[in-house]
Each structure stands twice: as C-alpha cells, then as structure tokens.
Amino acid sequence: MAGYEFLQTSRSRMESGWMRKKLIRAMEDNRGLILTVIGLPLSFLFDKVMQFRNWWYREFLSSPSKHMDRVATIQAQVVRNASQPAGQRKTMCTARPNWLSLSTTFFNKEACHKIPIPLYDILELNETNLTVKVEPMVTVGDITRYLVPRGYTLAVTLEIADATLGGLAFGVGMTTYSHKVGLYQETIAAYEVVLGDGTFVRATRDNEYSDLYHCLPWSHGSLGFLVGLELQIIPVKPYIHMKYIPVKGQKNYCEKIRELSGTYDGSAEVPDYLEATVFSKEEAVIMVGNFADVTTKEQAKKINNVTRWYKPWFYKHVEAFLTSGEGEEYIPLREYLLRHDKAIFWVLESMIPFGNHPLFLFLLGWMLPPKPAFMKLTTTPVVRAMTFTKQVFQDIVLPINKLEEQINKSEELFDTYPVLVYPCRIYDHGKHVGQLRPPREDQMVPGTNYGMFNDLGVYGVPRDVRERRRWDAVSAMRKMEAYTRSVGGYHFMYADTFLDREEFNEMFDLTQYEKVRRKYHAEGAFPHVYDKTKPEVDVVAIGKAYMDPLS
Ligand SMILES: Cc1cc2nc3c(=O)[nH]c(=O)nc-3n(C[C@H](O)[C@H](O)[C@H](O)COP(=O)(O)OP(=O)(O)OC[C@H]3O[C@@H](n4cnc5c(N)ncnc54)[C@H](O)[C@@H]3O)c2cc1C
C-alpha cells in the first residue's frame, strides 16, 4: 500500500511539475499578448492613480517652506530607533516599497526598521550658482518638467522618468552629457543627510564632512538617510540638434566615439550630448547632439517629436539610419531627455515583441511604457528567477580604451543587441577617497585629472535563450564581473550581481567607506552596502539549479 501511495504521489508530483512547466512555457510564449491585454491597461491605471497620489501630495500636503519640519520628523524617528536597547535595535532603511524602485533586486526591508521619507518637493532654484535644491523623492519626470520651461536641465540625469533624484545620488547616475562632466555624483553640490544617531549634516566637497561627501555615491543608503540635494544645472536651448552617424566596422565606430568624446585630447571641442547604439559587432549608430534654437522654416521642417505615442521606439528610429545613411533632425529638449523612456531603452522588445508595430503604436502606444513599478509589483518567484536566468540587465562602467574588447566580451557571454555606449569621465579624486579608484594611467585623458570610461548597457535576451537552449547565467555573469574587475571597472548595483564579499571589495575600494561608516554612526544603524545590494535570492544556486538537465 505504502509503495502504491508513493507511486501515486510521485506521479501526481510529476504531473503537477509537467503542468507547471507547460503553464510557464505558455505564459512565456504569449507574454506579449498577456501584457498587452492585462498588463498594459492595469499598468496605465496604476500610473494614473500614482500620478493622482503625487499631485494630491504636492497640492495639499507639501510645501518647500516645511522642508526642515519634515526632516525633523525623520530625525526624531531615527533617534527613537537609536535609543532602543542594543538587542532590540534593528538596522534602518527607507519605507519606500521595493516595487517602486527601478532596481531588479528586492532587498528584504522587513528585516529593517522602516523609516518613511515623504520628501517630494523641489525646494529652490538658484540661478546665480546654477543649482537646484530638491528633496530626494523628486523624479526625473518632475525635474525635467520644472527645469526645461525655465531654460535649464540637470547636468546629469537619466532617461527614465520614474528614477528618483535621491536614488540616483545614492546609487549611480550617468547620461549622454557625462563625457563632459562625469557621473551624476560629480554634479552634486551638497547632500543633506540624517545620520544613524539622528544628527543632520550638510556634506559638500570641501566642508568638514567632505569625507562623507565622497562616500555617499554608490552607498545605497548604508551611510544615512538622504533628505536633500543641491544639484548642478546647465542653461539650455529648446531643441537638440541630432546628427545620426551610422558606422560600419568595429574599429571605426570605437575610434569615432573615442575621438568625439575627447578621449585623446582633453582640450578638444566635444558635442553637448553623445551616445552610440551598437546594433551588431560591426555596426553602430553614433548620435551627436547639440543645444539649438529652431529659427528658420527649413529647421522647423526637421523637428521630430520622438516621444509622441505613435512614433517608433527611439532605438528603432535610430536603427533605420543604418540603411538610410547619415541624417539630422531637431528634437524638443524634454523629449530628447526622455527619448528612451517609452521602450525602457529596448527592454520592452522582449516583453511585447510586436510593440513597435505602427498599428499597435497608433492604437495602444499611449499606454506605454508599462510602469517598472507595476512590473515589479506583479513579480512572482518564477518571474524573479527569469530576470537573471533568461534575461540580462546590466550597466557596467568600463574603460573606453577597451571598447572593442567589451563588445566582444558581451557578445561572447550574452550575445544580445543592441548594446548601449555612453562615454563618461571618471575623475581621479585620489586614493581611498570614495568607492571608485583613480583611473589607471593608460585610461587617463592626457593633461586632465580624469579618465574616459563608458557605460556598457546590456539589456535583453541572450541568444541561447532566444534559440531555446539553456543559458548559463551564473557562468556568464561571473565571467563578466571578473573581466570588469580585471580592467578596473564597476557594475551598477541596481542590477543582479553575483559577486562574493571578497570580489565586491576588489571591485570597489571600501577603505574610506568603512572609516566613514564608523565615524558617522552608520555601523549597526544601516545595513552594509554589500548586504544592501546583493540579490535577495541566492542567484548562484537558482542559476545552477536551472542548468540542471533534470529540472
Ligand atoms: C533598464 C535600465 C536601464 C538603466 N540605465 C541606466 C543608465 O543608462 N544610466 C544610469 O545612470 N542608470 C541607469 N539605470 C539604473 C538607475 O539609474 C537606478 O536604478 C537608480 O538607482 C535610480 O533608481 P531609483 O530611483 O528607483 O532608486 P532606488 O533603487 O530607490 O534607490 C537606489 C538606492 O538608494 C537608496 N535610497 C534611495 N533614496 C534614499 C534616501 N532618501 N535615503 C537613503 N537611501 C536611499 C535605496 O534604498 C537604494 O539602495 C537603469 C535601470 C534600468 C532598469
């Protein structure tokens, strides 16, 4: 009898396993349809509710003059936590739900004492110093809406409207202006922070808290709560004159982007905005953008509102220049800044493969993009595992003198295109100053105090997965991370990483960070940056189990 029950149980387990696999395969095969019919409308509604909530908050609950009162409330909560007996005290984190963050990981906030940071206000525009003071929950969408009509933009921003200015400050930010000014952190004039003991400090590059100032970027909320930011802004013109330069041959496009970014000559004149989209190992389109006015009829005819709902996804528009040849146009500035928002760069292609069809765009394009927050809210364990066993989301800061090698490595390990290339200065601030090391000698731009690096953005489905073979995510990612460490690069920590603690310490210089953690009461008050950023699931074990032929 026992044997019969065992057989029955095994059989029903196999059947339910078989059913589960069938169901998952059916959902994967029809993901675009499911997303279109259910996901997009729900995401659109969800977005409208969130917009209403934010509007309500700004109209009725918020006011710039009450900034310090709001900060005092946060301080009081931190002090209350710090005064708990040692055994009962938990480390702290923000109460912002994981699903609202753009990160692909889900840090276990339940293990922490969650402190609400309801700070959504734009506080002050200083046109003399060219800075804007904001609270950390202001988003890229909000700040572009505020600054562009006033004739400014942030020196460094991101193309995703939902990213918060605080998240970019404590994570990392880079954009197509970064070949002129470096990472987002270089454009931060001051951070206002509530420390682990409840003290409020304002840290700048050269005040008494400059040691803290240099360690806050890449710290992911492990040194204190961010409550205010002063950011560098730049004067703008209403349009970006865009030139699209298709280039064949890997050496040619790599050389061209190095030349245009000023890699070889720090005094060379460089365009305002610069990026390349690599469509295959041998083909790329380089985009050169400059601030412009549109004053003539001829120019007006060349205006392209790239973000309108019926317009093709931006990278598809760019790809067309590979066949049509060099081209130019004028893009309204805010549309330029958010050009990659609708297709979330090219992430949307793997979710809704037919989403760029003109009919789809015409009928449903106004609902795009599906909100990252909504996608995360509906993430099941299976979908979570899929984010790293079947897809790649990586932004990696690598030295631009190795651009050819980076692209070859990405093809060898992931084989997914397009690949994004944003050139970016990495400044030499000296040894053990922050988490980034000074660039190596061969990476420096002659006669300057910075090296030229680039963001290599790899988002998509690896060829093995597309062709229904098993893709070894663990091996591929660990090889990529080893390569990054070997050339002195850095992975953005919003994405899943497979680094162990020792490898993390090798990638990032934590010498000063550890001192700052002790000095400013962060130890015991906030999780360590390694624990804060490592994926909440055992990516190595899940990845290995996925490769098991019996699974
Ligand atoms: C497809 C894709 C492409 C991307 N491409 C780029 C790119 O090209 N360039 C680029 O720069 N970035 C890129 N990013 C990453 C993006 O910049 C990060 O996710 C960034 O951190 C902003 O996200 P967020 O506002 O959701 O921050 P969050 O994830 O909310 O915050 C980042 C970290 O800071 C902590 N934190 C936030 N606010 C506070 C606070 N007030 N006090 C204490 N701690 C706080 C959070 O806990 C978290 O650890 C990309 C992301 C995706 C998904």
Side-chain angles (χ1 to χ4, degrees), residues 313-525:
W313 293 346
F314 186 69
Y315 79 96
K316 287 287 183 194
H317 169 59
V318 174
E319 190 176 24
F321 291 96
L322 283 176
T323 36
S324 67
E326 206 166 303
E328 58 156 352
E329 64 192 8
Y330 293 86
I331 305 178
L333 178 62
R334 188 164 186 271
E335 297 198 40
Y336 170 79
L337 295 172
L338 295 175
R339 69 202 175 284
H340 285 303
D341 189 59
K342 189 160 71 178
I344 323 176
F345 295 91
W346 31 92
V347 172
L348 208 52
E349 182 165 20
S350 59
M351 297 177 179
I352 309 179
F354 44 83
N356 191 47
H357 191 282
L359 192 63
F360 180 95
L361 286 170
F362 188 74
L363 296 175
L364 301 172
W366 47 275
M367 284 199 280
L368 295 177
K371 290 281 125 187
F374 177 80
M375 312 297 293
K376 286 188 78 180
L377 186 61
T378 53
T379 298
T380 62
V382 174
V383 175
R384 174 70 183 97
M386 266 175 69
T387 55
F388 61 89
T389 54
K390 299 198 172 187
Q391 288 167 9
V392 199
F393 286 102
Q394 290 293 326
D395 279 285
I396 317 169
V397 184
L398 291 162
I400 205 163
N401 63 358
K402 299 255 189 274
L403 188 53
E404 291 86 340
E405 202 174 279
Q406 299 168 29
I407 288 160
N408 294 345
K409 195 48 98 192
S410 167
E411 180 169 298
E412 174 199 326
L413 299 174
F414 310 123
D415 202 352
T416 180
Y417 288 97
V419 167
L420 166 149
V421 176
Y422 287 1
C424 173
R425 291 181 185 181
I426 298 289
Y427 280 89
D428 177 357
H429 292 296
K431 263 190 183 170
H432 310 316
V433 172
Q435 284 86 305
L436 303 194
R437 297 185 165 82
R440 297 174 187 175
E441 221 170 284
D442 65 321
Q443 299 164 348
M444 295 298 288
V445 172
T448 70
N449 62 343
Y450 57 83
M452 193 59 78
F453 282 60
N454 63 278
D455 176 12
L456 189 80
V458 190
Y459 331 115
V461 179
R463 180 188 288 271
D464 278 348
V465 179
R466 291 196 309 274
E467 294 179 355
R468 305 246 154 151
R469 290 188 296 274
R470 292 209 173 199
W471 173 64
D472 192 345
V474 177
S475 159
M477 271 305 299
R478 290 192 54 73
K479 281 183 188 155
M480 192 71 213
E481 288 168 351
Y483 172 72
T484 301
R485 293 198 303 279
S486 75
V487 296
Y490 310 94
H491 279 249
F492 280 39
M493 303 308 295
Y494 79 86
D496 286 318
T497 52
F498 292 62
L499 300 165
D500 62 30
R501 199 174 273 270
E502 207 175 304
E503 291 161 346
F504 188 88
N505 288 0
E506 202 187 312
M507 185 174 286
F508 296 99
D509 180 357
L510 297 187
T511 318
Q512 180 72 342
Y513 168 85
E514 301 291 4
K515 282 189 197 154
V516 160
R517 246 175 93 76
R518 282 191 292 278
K519 180 172 167 189
Y520 293 105
H521 317 287
E523 273 188 354

Side-chain angles (χ1 to χ4, degrees), residues 260-302:
L260 284 166
S261 62
T263 303
Y264 299 121
D265 178 4
S267 61
E269 206 167 300
V270 295
D272 290 321
Y273 291 98
L274 179 64
E275 77 184 288
T277 304
V278 180
F279 288 96
S280 73
K281 194 167 169 170
E282 300 298 335
E283 286 177 315
V285 176
I286 296 177
M287 281 155 272
V288 171
N290 283 295
F291 291 117
D293 289 306
V294 168
T295 49
T296 66
K297 270 191 184 157
E298 275 314 299
Q299 289 171 327
K301 277 189 210 150
K302 292 184 187 161

